[in-house]
Amino acid sequence: MAKPKIAVFKFSSCAGCQLSILNIEDHLLDVAGAVDIAYCVMAKRENREGPYDIGFVEGAVTSPKELLELKKIREECKVLVALGTCACFGGLPSIKNFAGPQREMEERVYTELWDLKSIPAHGIDYYVKVDAYLRGCAIDVGELVQLVKSALLGVNPHFRPHSVCNECKLKENVCLLVNKGKPCMGSVTAAGCDALCPSLGRPCEGCRGPANDANAASLARTFSVDLGLSRDDVRRKFLKYAGNTPEFKKGAEAV
Ligand code: SF4
Ligand code: SF4
Ligand code: SF4
């Protein structure tokens, strides 16, 4: 059987999710019966043209050039996967969408603006059809392996629809929000990281985006009324990773 041809593309991002893929190549070979990484500029000098069986796109779309590239990639890939929170929701690059007028943001960062062509940062499904989402900043390696296996078998991967709190409870962690008054986003954030941050004593920052039925407005009011966070701090918490989603937008606008 021919090895599935995999391509990895990068848009506006820190490349941390691509690194996660490269770190598990041996594991992928074990579990998936060998894949052919045909295109991955970060890993290989010689890369091959499409079409590809699975295309992973990392990063948010933040320029007209990236948008054109994304449309071509969509045509070349049978299965298109949003790799990481930047590609799923806009991620950290999308902070600029909410931080002030676009030109003001650009002036803070660049000295030469004449050649700068920038658009608001969005996840890739704002522009093209996406077949699967790997959330997280960075992605969870277990979910990546599960997704590749499912694609090879032609079945849907089973990703957890519930919140980080469920995983946190299973680990029997003391609740940081209830017991320690820390602004933890676990109750509104999609599970899949095994409650990584709360298990290390740090509040969840919401990097995997909204869980199903997330009541972000209620959590925002808890942050404001019970924990005394300022309106700006509450907004920042909900706009950090997935402010483009309707759920976290509601949280940002609730106080
Ligand atoms: S989701 Fe996080 S780790 Fe992945 S590319 Fe974006 S900023 Fe980097
Ligand atoms: S620490 Fe955070 S994730 Fe864990 S149960 Fe409390 S609110 Fe939920
Ligand atoms: S606990 Fe929250 S911030 Fe930490 S990895 Fe999981 S979803 Fe991301």
Side-chain angles (χ1 to χ4, degrees):
M1 189 176 109
K3 294 176 184 178
K5 218 170 147 189
I6 287 182
V8 185
F9 305 95
K10 178 183 182 302
F11 292 145
S12 298
S13 61
C14 79
C17 289
Q18 278 196 71
L19 274 176
S20 302
I21 289 195
L22 301 180
N23 285 341
I24 62 156
E25 190 177 1
D26 289 345
H27 192 38
L28 274 180
L29 292 172
D30 284 345
V31 298
V35 294
D36 169 15
I37 299 185
Y39 186 96
C40 181
V41 174
M42 185 187 254
K44 302 171 58 174
R45 199 174 299 137
E46 286 172 22
N47 291 282
R48 302 202 307 282
E49 297 282 314
Y52 308 103
D53 294 303
I54 309 176
F56 292 93
V57 174
E58 176 196 67
V61 175
T62 64
S63 71
K65 180 170 169 282
E66 287 179 339
L67 177 51
L68 285 178
E69 285 170 12
L70 175 65
K71 288 184 174 165
K72 182 167 175 283
I73 289 167
R74 175 64 275 189
E75 285 169 12
E76 289 181 329
C77 297
K78 275 192 220 158
V79 173
L80 189 68
V81 181
L83 182 73
T85 288
C86 294
C88 291
F89 309 115
L92 294 176
S94 70
I95 290 173
K96 73 166 183 162
N97 299 1
F98 315 104
Q102 169 98 13
R103 204 58 176 173
E104 216 175 273
M105 296 301 105
E106 291 165 358
E107 281 168 1
R108 278 200 208 171
V109 178
Y110 301 101
T111 47
E112 296 286 339
L113 293 172
W114 62 272
D115 196 27
L116 187 63
K117 294 183 181 65
S118 172
I119 56 179
H122 282 284
I124 60 174
D125 71 357
Y126 191 74
Y127 299 109
V128 297
K129 177 177 171 286
V130 171
D131 301 300
Y133 298 82
L134 283 172
R135 298 160 173 242
C137 182
I139 57 160
D140 178 83
V141 163
E143 284 193 336
L144 169 63
V145 172
Q146 192 194 139
L147 185 128
V148 174
K149 282 164 77 176
S150 303
L152 294 173
L153 294 169
V155 298
N156 287 329
H158 178 66
F159 291 150
R160 286 148 278 192
H162 47 256
S163 72
V164 171
C165 281
N166 293 52
E167 294 179 324
C168 195
K169 290 295 171 203
L170 285 173
K171 296 186 89 172
E172 300 185 0
N173 294 330
V174 171
C175 180
L176 299 172
L177 178 69
V178 175
N179 295 85
K180 302 201 170 173
K182 293 191 179 173
C184 184
M185 302 266 293
S187 60
V188 296
T189 301
C193 63
D194 217 12
L196 179 64
C197 301
S199 301
L200 296 170
R202 294 177 57 88
C204 171
E205 291 287 327
C207 87
R208 292 177 57 86
N212 280 9
D213 296 327
N215 189 347
S218 171
L219 185 65
R221 284 192 289 275
T222 299
F223 286 168
S224 169
V225 176
D226 298 343
L227 306 191
L229 264 64
S230 70
R231 185 172 176 272
D232 279 352
D233 282 345
V234 173
R235 273 177 57 78
R236 270 194 285 271
K237 287 201 91 58
F238 285 95
L239 298 179
K240 185 171 174 185
Y241 288 104
N244 285 324
T245 63
E247 296 90 342
F248 278 11
K249 246 186 201 134
K250 276 186 202 157
E253 289 163 5
V255 295

